[in-house]
Amino acid sequence: MDAVCVGILVSDLFASPIDSLPKAGELKKTEKFLQAAGGCAMNVAADLRRLGRTAALAGMVGEDMFGDFVIREAERCGIIASGVQRSSQSQTSNTVIIPVRGEDRRYLHSTGANSDFSLAGFDRSLLEGAGVLYVGGYLAMPKFNPVDLADLFHYARQRQLITLLDVIVPAGATVSLSEVEDVLPHADYFLPNDDEARRLTGCEDVRGQAETLSRLNPECCVVITRGVRGCTAKWRSEWIETPAYPVESVDESGAGDAFTAGLITGILEGWPLNRILGFASVVGASCTRALGCTDGVFSFEQAVEVLERQCH
């Protein structure tokens, strides 16, 4: 097993891009809808499969048709879904995504069963033989507390797994460094975007954000993604600035998760950090070529070919 992906699971419904939002009472047509299994953990696992890697999934869905759909889609992708639990209290999380041309996307979201997911029921035997433990959506799962997560990361690292942490800071939430200070000492990679890093650290400057986060664990590679401005990484005393790979974008949903899958793949390949980040940038950008979070993602061979062309 290459990677175990733990965290948020969602049943997504995407509308194809429209020119403007409908007015009150107006029916506006869109070309098509796409139903897909998503959420950080699912997206990263599915993208890893597209990149030729094996993945297992852990999270929580409801006892409903949307939960059936998420599990069925995971299994269709060749993902081991034995770690997916069912909540008897909440329905499966759902998101409706509405891309508007020339504007950022609009979302309607229900947290659903992700609010019931905790590490209390996580089967650690899922980690046996794995190379990477990825946790996505931390801070957006209320029962996912930092003490339990730090303990899981410590357990994983004792067994030679590489640990990666990604966060989601809910709109309106007040957060600080205290949210991650127990966890980062046990993380090998931390992957916030620049808005999340700003809200955690209070720093406006991306290098200041990385410096502040790195103080919690100088051995942790802090990678701050910045959308079309690429990413900034700090590891020990090394700084790497990686530009975004240019692509004609249809839908930016899932690009950060595809970047993460590319990064995990590069780590498993044993590449140097600058090549890992370049590969992750290419994979992340490729995601935006199609509607949804995974359909546009390059294969491993395609991404390597593009990376090689960039380097020459």
Side-chain angles (χ1 to χ4, degrees):
M1 178 60 55
D2 288 320
V4 178
C5 300
V6 181
I8 287 178
L9 301 176
V10 182
S11 176
D12 287 328
L13 181 65
F14 294 86
S16 56
I18 56 176
D19 292 324
S20 62
L21 293 173
K23 299 174 184 177
E26 179 187 9
L27 174 67
K28 182 175 284 288
K29 290 186 177 181
T30 186
E31 182 183 347
K32 64 178 180 179
F33 286 91
L34 170 68
Q35 186 178 8
C40 306
M42 177 65 196
N43 290 339
V44 172
D47 292 339
L48 284 169
R49 294 294 297 134
R50 291 181 72 91
L51 292 166
R53 292 291 178 171
T54 54
L57 189 63
M60 185 165 281
V61 296
E63 296 177 343
D64 51 28
M65 65 179 184
F66 296 114
D68 295 341
F69 172 73
V70 170
I71 292 172
R72 187 170 64 248
E73 282 297 288
E75 292 173 342
R76 183 184 66 81
C77 292
I79 299 165
I80 296 171
S82 58
V84 178
Q85 304 169 43
R86 309 291 291 246
S87 170
S88 59
Q89 281 79 43
S90 303
Q91 69 174 34
T92 302
S93 175
N94 287 270
T95 303
V96 177
I97 303 97
I98 307 170
V100 180
R101 293 186 184 93
E103 300 180 21
D104 205 349
R105 295 149 290 169
R106 294 345 194 253
Y107 301 92
L108 289 173
H109 177 71
S110 66
T111 303
N114 290 319
S115 62
D116 300 330
F117 182 46
S118 75
L119 288 173
F122 178 73
D123 182 3
R124 294 189 176 188
S125 69
L126 200 62
L127 302 179
E128 292 178 10
V132 167
L133 169 61
Y134 161 79
V135 172
Y138 176 57
L139 302 183
M141 297 174 286
K143 293 186 178 179
F144 222 77
N145 72 69
V147 174
D148 289 345
L149 181 54
D151 182 63
L152 177 62
F153 270 18
H154 176 68
Y155 175 88
R157 291 181 81 194
Q158 282 186 318
R159 283 150 183 80
Q160 310 306 311
L161 276 78
I162 296 166
T163 54
L164 293 91
L165 178 65
D166 200 356
V167 295
I168 291 178
V169 180
T174 300
V175 293
S176 68
L177 276 181
S178 63
E179 312 280 353
V180 294
E181 65 182 1
D182 289 332
V183 183
L184 286 194
H186 307 285
D188 294 303
Y189 291 82
F190 183 44
L191 309 168
N193 63 34
D194 50 356
D195 178 64
E196 293 157 349
R198 177 184 58 80
R199 293 173 68 183
L200 284 166
T201 65
C203 298
E204 294 294 331
D205 174 69
V206 68
R207 287 208 169 200
Q209 296 164 3
E211 287 275 14
T212 302
L213 292 164
S214 186
R215 289 189 200 112
L216 297 176
N217 178 6
E219 294 298 312
C220 176
C221 181
V222 177
V223 182
I224 300 176
T225 53
R226 307 172 68 199
V228 295
R229 292 172 294 170
C231 72
T232 297
K234 184 180 189 304
W235 181 54
R236 298 175 179 170
S237 60
E238 184 178 6
W239 288 92
I240 298 177
E241 301 279 352
T242 305
Y245 173 68
V247 67
E248 187 173 338
S249 177
V250 173
D251 177 14
E252 296 176 1
S253 301
D257 297 329
F259 177 95
T260 299
L263 185 127
I264 291 171
T265 299
I267 291 168
L268 292 168
E269 290 289 325
W271 292 337
L273 183 57
N274 60 343
R275 182 175 174 84
I276 291 173
L277 294 173
F279 182 82
S281 175
V282 168
V283 175
S286 73
C287 174
T288 71
R289 301 179 306 145
L291 188 67
C293 292
T294 58
D295 286 354
V297 174
F298 283 150
S299 68
F300 178 81
E301 292 76 16
Q302 287 173 316
V304 167
E305 181 183 353
V306 170
L307 183 63
E308 296 295 342
R309 286 205 307 266
Q310 277 191 304
C311 294
H312 293 90

